[in-house]
Amino acid sequence: MTLHIDSLFIGGEWIPPTSSHRINVISASTEEHIGSVPEAREADVDAAVAAARGAFDDPSGWSQWSAGQRADALDSLADQLEARAEEMARRVSAQNGMPIAIARQLEAGFPVAVIRYYAGVVRTASFEESHPHLLGGTTTVRREPLGVVAAIAPWNFPQTLASFKYAPALAAGCTVVLKPSPETVLDAALFAEAVAASSVPAGVINIVPGGREVGAYLIAHPHIDKVAFTGSTAAGRQIAETCGRLLRPVTLELGGKSAAIVLDDAELDLATIGEKLFGATLLNNGQTCFLGTRILAPRSRYHEVVGVFEALASSLTVGDALDEATQIGPMASERQRERVEGYIAKGLGDGARLVTGGHRPAALDTGWFVEPTVFADVDNSHAIAQEEIFGPVLSVIPYTDVDDAIAIANATDYGLGGTVWTADHDRGMDVARRVRTGTIGINTYLPDPSSPFGGVKDSGIGRELGPDALTNFQAVKSIYA
Ligand code: NAD
């Protein structure tokens, strides 16, 4: 079925676009044309920002609603998304190649949890507190909504990563212009339908599908008060430069090259840990920012660890993302597959040993598939150990002792995720404390909507999720009396 959408969701209505340019969507699994939407141009972005501005500035509008009213509206949006969960999962999966079972759990399920979480947070949050002025009198501290938010999402988890932005922004009383990635615009249209059917008022969420030019125009727009971005480190740097020049608050969730540190006492039976290991190293076809794609293995169990990852990678079912049995789907785009194959060639060129994979699956000649791939004998200085591949390619790196493992884990420009695999929780905690990263798991990895998520170093600035993310969208005002 092909889905053609003719209008843009701006100001609570479906309005005709100002140009005839369209974004065509190709299925990652079948390479078939599965739909198109209008591409937003500058005039459409102007209209979207004006709608968000109007909704924000309205004296009886969203920013002035009580926190309880906003929480109710957020819950109604969650209800509307839940009612569309299966269709949402299928649209994401068809577009970017995410296996359907994962899309159901993460793209349909996770945003609902995030929205309901922030509805709960604002129901009990305090937005105004008074205390004695240190030098006499009283000071009242108010947490006011920051204004109009430009939210920019990537294609790998388009719904989830958008919700990390709009849910706390709306909860705080901000209004939003969301720019989805051109690879994933059909799910954004379904999201717009959910917004329209919810009690979130007109103009509070507006959507401008487009590429990086549209994104660059949006973040620099004079009526934007805050930028929330997830994407590559390269784009993040450009956005940071713009926001620096404009003195515009920005949060950046960028790339990663995390370590999965296998300690010498780790349980390595795939029947026991296989599912968790998969989630932490290969989730979403390797197209996940937090994955531990550098596997650090103790020399004492090196061959065993290589064998475990060889067995894991070669056991996975590769196929059409919409097939229920699929564990590894295609890369999201042809360009992305070329990039992954380029890194596989670099790994071979640098002398790493290919243990399994490395090719296109013989049985799949349509779709942008790459076999789950494991390299052993990788040096941490190799390009495949230092650069974000964003595909199902793992590098096993030997280490001598725990200090050596931590030194290797930290010898990267990134610091987003990571895991420690051990039978001893306290040992795992010790290692987790010493890794320079924003998040890390022990024998598991799954972001928690109620706790901060984000990176250090080149992985970004600021944190999303958790109660503190509300402050990303608030201006704090002190009133002395
Ligand atoms: P990308 O940076 O190319 O694009 C991300 C989004 O930003 C897209 O919507 C794109 O159109 C837009 N964009 C690009 N350049 C822009 C600019 N100069 N100004 C404004 N908007 C711009 O990234 P991608 O290829 O879509 O996504 C993959 C990247 O995202 C990976 O590097 C991955 O690690 C990262 N990522 C990070 C996280 C995280 O939470 N840290 C999560 C998921 C993905």
Side-chain angles (χ1 to χ4, degrees):
M1 195 187 82
T2 318
L3 197 70
H4 290 292
I5 292 157
D6 291 326
S7 40
L8 294 169
F9 186 70
I10 292 175
E13 290 177 67
W14 291 94
I15 61 169
T18 58
S19 96
S20 57
H21 288 87
R22 296 188 69 79
I23 299 173
N24 289 298
V25 184
I26 309 293
S27 156
S29 296
T30 65
E31 298 182 41
E32 284 166 1
H33 184 243
I34 53 171
S36 68
V37 305
E39 182 183 13
R41 310 296 278 196
E42 292 184 358
D44 305 304
V45 175
D46 290 343
V49 175
R53 185 86 258 162
F56 184 82
D57 291 341
D58 179 349
S60 58
W62 182 252
S63 60
Q64 304 305 315
W65 283 24
S66 72
Q69 288 173 311
R70 289 201 299 269
D72 289 346
L74 279 167
D75 276 337
S76 85
L77 175 57
D79 293 343
Q80 293 300 329
L81 285 170
E82 266 181 330
R84 293 163 176 78
E86 181 62 17
E87 176 65 11
M88 186 65 86
R90 296 188 77 78
R91 285 198 194 183
V92 171
S93 184
Q95 292 169 109
N96 73 1
M98 182 183 298
I100 182 67
I102 296 171
R104 280 195 193 105
Q105 190 192 345
L106 294 181
E107 282 295 282
F110 210 93
V112 170
V114 172
I115 295 167
R116 293 205 193 284
Y117 168 70
Y118 280 106
V121 166
V122 285
R123 279 200 178 94
T124 56
S126 163
F127 293 87
E128 192 172 295
E129 278 172 317
S130 297
H131 59 264
H133 187 303
L134 196 62
L135 304 177
T138 303
T139 302
T140 300
V141 177
R142 281 175 52 75
R143 297 183 184 281
E144 300 176 347
L146 201 44
V148 179
V149 175
I152 302 202
W155 46 260
N156 63 334
F157 288 92
Q159 287 298 312
T160 298
L161 294 170
S163 76
F164 285 18
K165 295 159 185 55
Y166 68 71
L170 262 53
C174 293
T175 58
V176 172
V177 179
L178 170 66
K179 192 202 80 63
S181 201
E183 289 83 354
T184 44
V185 286
L186 302 180
D187 58 298
L190 189 62
F191 172 65
E193 286 176 31
V195 174
S198 77
S199 59
V200 173
V204 171
I205 297 182
N206 309 274
I207 302 178
V208 286
R212 59 185 52 207
E213 293 77 18
V214 170
Y217 182 77
L218 171 64
I219 59 140
H221 198 286
H223 294 134
I224 291 292
D225 299 299
K226 154 85 191 176
V227 174
F229 173 77
T230 298
S232 61
T233 296
R237 277 189 213 288
Q238 289 172 6
I239 291 169
E241 281 179 18
T242 303
C243 291
R245 180 166 48 79
L246 297 170
L247 297 180
R248 185 161 289 173
V250 58
T251 37
L252 301 168
E253 300 286 358
L254 309 176
K257 191 73 195 181
S258 303
I261 306 175
V262 181
L263 297 185
D264 55 9
D265 64 349
E267 164 70 76
L268 288 179
D269 178 7
L270 277 180
T272 311
I273 62 160
E275 205 177 314
K276 301 272 191 201
L277 207 55
F278 172 77
T281 61
L282 286 161
L283 183 77
N284 191 20
N285 322 329
Q287 301 177 130
T288 308
C289 51
F290 57 67
L291 294 178
T293 50
R294 291 183 296 146
I295 314 300
L296 309 194
R299 288 193 189 278
S300 59
R301 295 182 75 185
Y302 183 67
H303 295 296
E304 198 186 343
V305 173
V306 171
V308 164
F309 279 93
E310 178 182 8
L312 174 67
S314 56
S315 73
L316 297 170
T317 305
V318 183
D320 188 316
L322 285 167
D323 187 330
E324 299 288 341
T326 291
Q327 292 166 293
I328 295 280
M331 302 298 89
S333 64
E334 194 167 15
R335 185 171 61 97
Q336 188 62 23
R337 179 171 65 177
E338 279 168 17
R339 178 187 159 91
V340 174
E341 289 178 332
Y343 276 108
I344 292 171
K346 271 190 201 171
L348 292 169
D350 283 340
R353 175 164 59 92
L354 184 64
V355 175
T356 185
H359 306 99
R360 298 179 182 184
L364 295 165
D365 54 5
T366 307
W368 299 307
F369 294 94
V370 178
E371 289 173 336
T373 299
V374 177
F375 280 105
D377 306 345
V378 177
D379 189 279
N380 196 48
S381 64
H382 288 168
I384 57 168
Q386 285 296 317
E387 295 171 25
E388 186 176 48
I389 299 174
F390 234 51
V393 181
L394 302 179
S395 297
V396 188
I397 303 172
Y399 72 81
T400 311
D401 56 22
V402 169
D403 286 349
D404 188 34
I406 290 165
I408 297 170
N410 288 339
T412 166
D413 290 336
Y414 295 108
L416 182 60
T419 43
V420 188
W421 301 86
T422 176
D424 180 341
H425 178 77
D426 292 343
R427 265 187 101 197
M429 285 296 289
D430 283 344
V431 172
R433 288 189 187 99
R434 294 175 63 193
V435 179
R436 284 198 67 204
T437 186
T439 64
I440 188 162
I442 300 173
N443 298 323
T444 188
Y445 186 100
L446 184 64
D448 168 9
S450 70
S451 305
F453 176 83
V456 298
K457 303 194 276 184
D458 286 2
S459 291
I461 297 176
R463 294 288 179 273
E464 296 188 314
L465 299 183
D468 294 348
L470 215 54
T471 63
N472 292 338
F473 303 98
Q474 291 174 325
V476 183
K477 180 187 283 174
S478 292
I479 304 174
Y480 316 119

